[in-house]
Amino acid sequence: RDVLSTLVFLAASSSSPFVVNADDTAEPFIRQGKGYGYTFTPPPGFSPGKKPVPTHLDEVNFNLEGVRGYQFGITVDPVRITTLREFGTPEEV
């Protein structure tokens, strides 16, 4: 069986919603570790930071500069399944 990593995207919104337009010149965020790797291009103005207490194989929070409390994160955890169908449907999870 292959060991697959799952990415869980968490989002938290601020009390004042806003729109961020895509930017073709944004630099990709590239992360590689033992048994996993991913590339992600954050929206303009977001920069990576560390989670105060890491509890997963890999975690990174992206904070929007100048906007307190608006962030999202990427979390990677290994799972032992051969297909995503084994993990379950969105309703089951």
Side-chain angles (χ1 to χ4, degrees), residues 50-80:
K50 292 193 177 219
K51 187 174 176 196
V53 181
T55 56
H56 300 277
L57 178 64
D58 185 58
E59 319 179 51
V60 62
N61 285 345
F62 287 84
N63 301 304
L64 182 58
E65 297 171 19
V67 180
R68 187 175 174 189
Y70 192 85
Q71 65 181 14
F72 65 91
I74 298 173
T75 301
V76 177
D77 283 312
V79 294
R80 295 186 182 275

Side-chain angles (χ1 to χ4, degrees), residues 11-90:
S13 63
S14 69
S15 58
S16 57
F18 59 92
V19 175
V20 177
N21 294 321
D23 181 1
D24 292 336
T25 63
E27 290 291 321
F29 176 82
I30 301 169
R31 179 84 80 161
Q32 292 186 340
K34 186 176 180 181
Y36 72 92
Y38 60 91
T39 301
F40 174 72
T41 303
F46 280 87
S47 59
K50 292 193 177 219
K51 187 174 176 196
V53 181
T55 56
H56 300 277
L57 178 64
D58 185 58
E59 319 179 51
V60 62
N61 285 345
F62 287 84
N63 301 304
L64 182 58
E65 297 171 19
V67 180
R68 187 175 174 189
Y70 192 85
Q71 65 181 14
F72 65 91
I74 298 173
T75 301
V76 177
D77 283 312
V79 294
R80 295 186 182 275
I81 59 174
T82 55
T83 69
L84 288 177
R85 289 179 196 239
E86 288 180 42
F87 198 68
T89 65

